[in-house]
Amino acid sequence: MSQRPKFVAANTPFFDLDDLAQRFDVLEFSDYLQVRPETVYIKQLRQPLHRFGKTYHTALVEISGRCLLTPQRPSQLIVAYSQQGLTSCRFWQWVAAALNVRPLPYFAGENSFIPEKSPLRQQTSWIGSRWYDQVNTVQKATYVTFTQPATQQQVVVQVQISQKQLLRQLARVRALLVNVQQLLHHEFSQVLPSSQLQVVIPPNLPLAADLQLPALSAALLRRFIYQHHNRDIADLTAERYGDIDDILAQADYHLWPPRELTSFRRELARLGFCKRDA
């Protein structure tokens, strides 16, 4: 088991989830879990854990210090989480392509998640932004400290992403939070001139001075969504010539585009008709 870093206090829960051999005293098991505001880390286990006749693939760490294992995979948890929110994983794939930024965080406001690796290529772990406090590097290992300001409850986890990459991704969450608030503030001021909605800068997230995201209006955002969705529909229709209800269902994907869509676009790119989607 990994040695507890010196900067982590003895009474602070610490998890290196690549080594669970000596942690059975603190693990909890559940057949079904959901991402919650208390969730700070969604960990794809390096080796599935076989217990009680079931195979557990994922650990969820909460700000309270609880660590729960589930047979669900991280992608299933993130997809289910996105299905409850205003925007889906699909929408943020479009945004990443438009901004040429990979991997883009899954943005869900304050409770957003940073992928350790590209979620389009493999199962990956996800780091929460809401309770992020600080990141430390010790002998090339990266440790993230999460703190709940009201109670000062802390938990520390070892993650598989460099400090530089994590800070950059968290800065993107901050920029998205500010941009979304500015958009809402503008639209509310048009519809409800007496609205007192204020833009709040998240104090726990880092700032990247060189990170500039384009300002959007509600009309531009709506057009962006329709353009991308319509292109998915058109490409699937051209590839499949199938029933329209089936095509619409195929276009309602979340984390992974349907095979027909990706294969058709790769063929178009090979023929020089369009850029290949990453």
Side-chain angles (χ1 to χ4, degrees), residues 214-269:
L216 290 176
S217 67
L220 285 174
L221 182 59
R222 183 169 57 249
R223 191 179 310 151
F224 174 82
I225 294 171
Y226 278 120
Q227 284 175 342
H228 284 73
H229 185 259
N230 289 347
R231 186 192 171 198
D232 286 354
I233 294 293
D235 287 351
L236 282 166
T237 303
E239 167 66 17
R240 298 191 57 156
Y241 302 101
D243 180 81
I244 188 62
D245 290 334
D246 179 50
I247 291 170
L248 287 170
Q250 284 289 308
D252 188 26
Y253 63 89
H254 290 273
L255 201 55
W256 290 286
R259 183 174 300 173
E260 293 82 0
L261 181 60
T262 54
S263 63
F264 180 71
R265 289 181 177 170
R266 287 193 186 101
E267 181 63 17
L268 287 179

Side-chain angles (χ1 to χ4, degrees), residues 148-213:
Q148 189 176 50
T151 63
Q152 289 301 297
Q153 173 70 49
Q154 285 191 326
V155 61
V156 179
V157 298
Q158 183 172 347
V159 299
Q160 303 300 316
I161 185 174
S162 71
Q163 180 171 336
K164 181 179 179 180
Q165 290 174 318
L166 177 60
L167 291 175
R168 186 70 176 175
Q169 292 282 65
L170 289 169
R172 287 173 180 151
V173 173
R174 176 190 172 117
L176 287 167
L177 275 169
V178 173
N179 278 19
V180 167
Q181 289 184 86
Q182 290 173 339
L183 173 61
L184 290 173
H185 181 272
H186 178 266
E187 298 303 322
F188 267 74
S189 67
Q190 303 301 308
V191 179
L192 300 170
S194 61
S195 172
Q196 299 299 312
L197 182 65
Q198 295 181 343
V199 177
V200 178
I201 308 298
N204 66 317
L205 299 180
L207 171 66
D210 63 333
L211 183 60
Q212 299 295 326
L213 299 181

Side-chain angles (χ1 to χ4, degrees), residues 48 77 86 137 178 181 190 214 277:
L77 293 164
L86 183 64
T137 301
V178 173
Q181 289 184 86
Q190 303 301 308
D277 287 354

Side-chain angles (χ1 to χ4, degrees), residues 19-223:
D19 187 353
L20 294 174
Q22 300 181 35
R23 300 313 307 267
F24 286 109
D25 59 321
V26 297
L27 297 180
E28 302 177 43
F29 297 83
S30 175
D31 291 347
Y32 179 80
L33 293 175
Q34 290 182 310
V35 177
R36 308 192 305 155
E38 294 80 10
T39 304
V40 298
Y41 189 40
I42 305 168
K43 172 65 177 176
Q44 166 76 17
L45 298 181
R46 179 179 294 177
Q47 296 292 335
L49 187 63
H50 305 283
R51 300 282 287 182
F52 315 117
K54 297 181 180 178
T55 301
Y56 294 86
H57 296 281
T58 308
L60 273 74
V61 178
E62 297 190 342
I63 188 64
S64 64
R66 296 176 69 196
C67 182
L68 304 100
L69 271 61
T70 179
Q72 298 156 271
R73 295 183 181 274
S75 61
Q76 294 173 308
L77 293 164
I78 287 291
V79 166
Y81 181 50
S82 79
Q83 289 173 328
Q84 300 170 12
L86 183 64
T87 57
S88 68
C89 296
R90 171 179 62 175
F91 174 75
W92 292 105
Q93 290 175 34
W94 293 341
V95 173
L99 299 178
N100 195 27
V101 174
R102 300 296 177 93
L104 192 75
Y106 171 64
F107 182 73
E110 285 185 321
N111 209 35
S112 298
F113 286 86
I114 309 299
E116 289 185 347
K117 300 176 183 177
S118 172
L120 294 180
R121 300 188 181 278
Q122 57 190 319
Q123 289 288 339
T124 187
S125 301
W126 298 78
I127 303 165
S129 67
R130 181 172 187 174
W131 308 114
Y132 167 80
D133 187 1
Q134 61 179 310
V135 56
N136 295 277
T137 301
V138 180
Q139 296 180 347
K140 298 183 178 181
T142 307
Y143 302 92
V144 181
T145 301
F146 301 92
T147 305
Q148 189 176 50
T151 63
Q152 289 301 297
Q153 173 70 49
Q154 285 191 326
V155 61
V156 179
V157 298
Q158 183 172 347
V159 299
Q160 303 300 316
I161 185 174
S162 71
Q163 180 171 336
K164 181 179 179 180
Q165 290 174 318
L166 177 60
L167 291 175
R168 186 70 176 175
Q169 292 282 65
L170 289 169
R172 287 173 180 151
V173 173
R174 176 190 172 117
L176 287 167
L177 275 169
V178 173
N179 278 19
V180 167
Q181 289 184 86
Q182 290 173 339
L183 173 61
L184 290 173
H185 181 272
H186 178 266
E187 298 303 322
F188 267 74
S189 67
Q190 303 301 308
V191 179
L192 300 170
S194 61
S195 172
Q196 299 299 312
L197 182 65
Q198 295 181 343
V199 177
V200 178
I201 308 298
N204 66 317
L205 299 180
L207 171 66
D210 63 333
L211 183 60
Q212 299 295 326
L213 299 181
L216 290 176
S217 67
L220 285 174
L221 182 59
R222 183 169 57 249
R223 191 179 310 151

